[in-house]
Amino acid sequence: MDEYGGQVRRLSEEKKSADTAEASGAPAVAGVPKGPNYQLKYTLAGHVKAISSVKFSPDGHNLASSSADKTIKIWGAYDGKFERTISGHKQGISDVAWSEDSKLLVSASDDKTLKIWEAATGKCLKTLKGHTNYVFCCNFNPQGNLIVSGSFDESVRIWDVKTGKCLKVLPAHSDPVSAVNFNRDGALIVSSSFDGLCRIWDTASGQCLKTLIDDDNTPVSFVKFSPNGKYLLAATLDSTLKLWDYSKGKCLKTYTGLKNTKYCIFSNFSVTGGKWIVSGSEDHMVYIWNLQTREIVQKLTGHTDVVLCTACHPQENIIASGALEDDKTVKIWKSDS
């Protein structure tokens, strides 16, 4: 794997052949609530390599983007205004996440470390060392005192924010860990891996409480808890998103139509207007589904490479998206619904 292998969240080395993006929008379906009407508002240029992650701050004011160029950039969420560049990692960054109070950022890098940053100043407060391969994914717990990380070393680690010490190493998977996420009270962690499993962990004890396995063991490229904490949204490299009731171990909904066979593409719950599922795609578009009916309600065109990451604003109908190295931009889209 090349130096920038991890941060472009790539599984295979082969370069994707460029696809022609389809026209945006979807036909209205009788009896289905009106879809969103996201339109491009801002294109944010500045990163010099692939965008690996975009995240809105919980207070809604800022957007953080991370990149294979080893930097994090902070932008105004509402006006797209560039605020600052945060530097310090020695290799590309695969993920960035905010603390619940919007004051801290954590980043996961191919240099095998995580770093905790003060968002307002860009000052590095702590470097978290222990992973033995690329660190691929990271998140704060809602209380802001713990960080969870996943790595190509196949482990999940839990870190103390104040001290920067590793509290637990979970021998989580038998392949690289593609995503880690706390539930809304922080009591549970979910992890996903190229080994085809999603696992749910007890944060306090580090015990595995449940393993979700689908029939065919397709690599799981992303997972996160739903806002209410009852469901999991999981992406697999067969161009499928699934909504799971994890307590029953049952798949409730399947979302298809996107192209996703190579990269670890983020997906989201959009709950500020209608209830949508949002994901990037390898055909250079952002896909939006009606959560209940599973219909594609909108496709956003404009990016010129794989859309790796998307994020939904916590208060407004705003989506951010970021794309790979033939594009290198972050885009901000807004909708009435």
Side-chain angles (χ1 to χ4, degrees), residues 136-212:
F136 197 60
C137 46
C138 56
N139 262 308
F140 280 91
N141 70 341
Q143 294 82 1
N145 64 319
L146 299 178
I147 285 166
V148 64
S149 62
S151 166
F152 269 59
D153 68 15
E154 306 176 1
S155 77
V156 168
R157 284 178 180 251
I158 302 171
W159 310 81
D160 182 271
V161 171
K162 264 206 178 62
T163 64
K165 295 271 187 291
C166 180
L167 301 176
K168 289 191 176 65
V169 184
L170 312 181
H173 292 281
S174 57
D175 268 313
V177 180
S178 54
V180 284
N181 184 234
F182 283 98
N183 71 337
R184 67 174 185 175
D185 69 0
L188 302 177
I189 291 165
V190 64
S191 63
S192 61
S193 168
F194 299 164
D195 65 12
L197 305 180
C198 289
R199 290 202 150 127
I200 294 171
W201 308 86
D202 178 75
T203 304
S205 70
Q207 294 299 303
C208 180
L209 301 177
K210 188 151 230 164
T211 299
L212 288 181

Side-chain angles (χ1 to χ4, degrees), residues 36 38 222 224-227 231-235 240-244 253-256 258 266-271 274-280 286-300 310 312 319:
Y38 279 93
F222 182 74
K224 82 186 301 184
F225 283 101
S226 61
Y231 309 107
L232 290 175
L233 183 61
T240 307
L241 289 174
K242 286 182 175 164
L243 187 68
W244 290 83
K253 307 266 183 195
T254 302
Y255 307 92
T256 56
L258 80 163
F266 289 86
S267 46
N268 307 273
F269 294 88
S270 174
V271 295
K275 302 291 181 268
W276 322 120
I277 300 289
V278 178
S279 177
V286 176
Y287 280 71
I288 308 175
W289 293 264
N290 179 308
L291 185 148
Q292 290 300 342
T293 67
R294 312 185 309 279
E295 303 276 351
I296 295 171
V297 289
Q298 204 179 357
K299 293 193 266 192
L300 311 184
T310 51
C312 297
I319 290 171

Side-chain angles (χ1 to χ4, degrees), residues 8-319:
V8 296
R9 307 181 79 85
R10 181 157 62 204
L11 258 187
S12 79
E13 284 299 303
E14 80 193 78
K15 184 78 185 82
K16 189 192 65 56
S17 63
D19 281 10
T20 53
E22 289 172 62
S24 159
V29 182
V32 172
K34 187 177 88 67
N37 60 342
Y38 279 93
Q39 284 168 330
L40 180 62
K41 291 295 177 201
Y42 307 105
T43 296
L44 315 181
H47 282 296
V48 296
K49 288 198 166 148
I51 312 298
S52 57
S53 181
V54 288
K55 303 283 177 72
F56 285 106
S57 57
D59 65 12
H61 293 315
N62 291 109
L63 177 72
S65 58
S66 64
S67 170
D69 67 12
K70 314 177 191 179
T71 71
I72 299 161
K73 289 183 188 289
I74 310 291
W75 317 81
Y78 301 112
D79 58 7
K81 187 170 144 305
F82 171 72
E83 305 268 338
R84 74 184 53 80
T85 299
I86 299 178
S87 308
H89 276 297
K90 293 184 173 67
Q91 290 193 42
I93 303 171
S94 280
D95 201 3
V96 65
W98 292 89
S99 60
E100 201 55 51
D101 64 6
S102 301
K103 289 182 176 161
L104 302 180
L105 288 161
V106 62
S107 53
S109 171
D110 277 17
D111 65 16
K112 305 179 189 173
T113 72
L114 298 110
K115 285 181 182 286
I116 302 174
W117 313 85
E118 195 170 60
T121 63
K123 183 178 165 215
C124 180
L125 303 177
K126 288 275 181 288
T127 299
L128 312 182
K129 295 179 177 171
H131 280 298
T132 57
N133 205 331
Y134 306 138
V135 193
F136 197 60
C137 46
C138 56
N139 262 308
F140 280 91
N141 70 341
Q143 294 82 1
N145 64 319
L146 299 178
I147 285 166
V148 64
S149 62
S151 166
F152 269 59
D153 68 15
E154 306 176 1
S155 77
V156 168
R157 284 178 180 251
I158 302 171
W159 310 81
D160 182 271
V161 171
K162 264 206 178 62
T163 64
K165 295 271 187 291
C166 180
L167 301 176
K168 289 191 176 65
V169 184
L170 312 181
H173 292 281
S174 57
D175 268 313
V177 180
S178 54
V180 284
N181 184 234
F182 283 98
N183 71 337
R184 67 174 185 175
D185 69 0
L188 302 177
I189 291 165
V190 64
S191 63
S192 61
S193 168
F194 299 164
D195 65 12
L197 305 180
C198 289
R199 290 202 150 127
I200 294 171
W201 308 86
D202 178 75
T203 304
S205 70
Q207 294 299 303
C208 180
L209 301 177
K210 188 151 230 164
T211 299
L212 288 181
I213 184 161
D214 221 356
D215 309 328
D216 50 4
N217 239 28
T218 315
V220 185
S221 45
F222 182 74
V223 71
K224 82 186 301 184
F225 283 101
S226 61
N228 67 8
K230 290 182 185 159
Y231 309 107
L232 290 175
L233 183 61
T236 43
L237 291 181
D238 53 4
S239 304
T240 307
L241 289 174
K242 286 182 175 164
L243 187 68
W244 290 83
D245 179 328
Y246 65 85
S247 64
K248 297 192 175 85
K250 223 170 81 180
C251 173
L252 303 178
K253 307 266 183 195
T254 302
Y255 307 92
T256 56
L258 80 163
K259 182 162 186 252
N260 183 19
T261 59
K262 279 189 197 151
Y263 295 88
C264 292
I265 296 178
F266 289 86
S267 46
N268 307 273
F269 294 88
S270 174
V271 295
T272 49
K275 302 291 181 268
W276 322 120
I277 300 289
V278 178
S279 177
S281 175
E282 288 162 14
D283 61 11
H284 309 178
M285 290 192 276
V286 176
Y287 280 71
I288 308 175
W289 293 264
N290 179 308
L291 185 148
Q292 290 300 342
T293 67
R294 312 185 309 279
E295 303 276 351
I296 295 171
V297 289
Q298 204 179 357
K299 293 193 266 192
L300 311 184
T301 60
H303 281 294
T304 57
D305 203 345
V306 172
V307 180
L308 201 68
C309 46
T310 51
C312 297
H313 191 276
Q315 290 96 29
E316 307 285 328
N317 302 323
I318 303 174
I319 290 171

